[in-house]
Amino acid sequence: MTQDPFQHGLDRNADTGKNNPLMVTESTGSETAGQVIAYTTLILSTQYRTHTFSVLIINDYAQLIRWDHSGAIVTEPIYYNDQSYLFDFLVCYNHASNEACGHDPTVGPPADHKAQAARTIKELSEANSLLSVTIQGSQPQGSCRFIIGTPCRQPDIPAGCWT
């Protein structure tokens, strides 16, 4: 049975919240939190995203978690048999743009002609794959677009500075 890793309402003063008023730290709820964090870490470290969402279902309620590189925001429990909030969220998410769903618009595959041109550069000629990266600048022309080799390794951290 999955245990809720979050404290709710009056539970925040319970013995399990002595060290952390928002999370359960002394039960199998912390194991559930670790599993959710591990899944989010995989998503944020293998995809180019600004944020991602998780739906945590515990018995008769669910919680939405919005993760980004600075932390997470968790909703109060949504009793999906009595409330339509979870269904409403899923419908909106299904119709949302890629950016609203968390895909980073500044990173993507380069256009074919730009990729071919980049392959003529000695440092990029042996790269397995290439990325096009946009960096916002302070110049009057706005942003600059670069073609780079795909990174060999990305950090396995779900939240933090990421610089």
PDB file of all heavy atoms in Angstrom, residues 28 65 144:
ATOM      1  N   THR A  28       6.701   4.799   5.572  1.00  0.00           N
ATOM      2  CA  THR A  28       6.887   4.410   4.173  1.00  0.00           C
ATOM      3  C   THR A  28       6.529   5.546   3.229  1.00  0.00           C
ATOM      4  O   THR A  28       6.781   5.454   2.034  1.00  0.00           O
ATOM      5  CB  THR A  28       6.050   3.159   3.846  1.00  0.00           C
ATOM      6  OG1 THR A  28       4.682   3.443   4.154  1.00  0.00           O
ATOM      7  CG2 THR A  28       6.526   1.954   4.618  1.00  0.00           C
ATOM      8  N   ILE A  65       1.859  17.516  -8.695  1.00  0.00           N
ATOM      9  CA  ILE A  65       3.154  18.068  -8.311  1.00  0.00           C
ATOM     10  C   ILE A  65       3.766  18.715  -9.544  1.00  0.00           C
ATOM     11  O   ILE A  65       3.900  18.067 -10.586  1.00  0.00           O
ATOM     12  CB  ILE A  65       4.104  16.980  -7.770  1.00  0.00           C
ATOM     13  CG1 ILE A  65       3.420  16.162  -6.668  1.00  0.00           C
ATOM     14  CG2 ILE A  65       5.398  17.608  -7.262  1.00  0.00           C
ATOM     15  CD1 ILE A  65       4.194  14.916  -6.273  1.00  0.00           C
ATOM     16  N   CYS A 144      20.742  34.800 -29.596  1.00  0.00           N
ATOM     17  CA  CYS A 144      21.665  34.159 -30.525  1.00  0.00           C
ATOM     18  C   CYS A 144      21.373  32.665 -30.534  1.00  0.00           C
ATOM     19  O   CYS A 144      21.083  32.081 -29.503  1.00  0.00           O
ATOM     20  CB  CYS A 144      23.111  34.379 -30.087  1.00  0.00           C
ATOM     21  SG  CYS A 144      23.608  36.105 -30.094  1.00  0.00           S
TER      22      CYS A 144
END
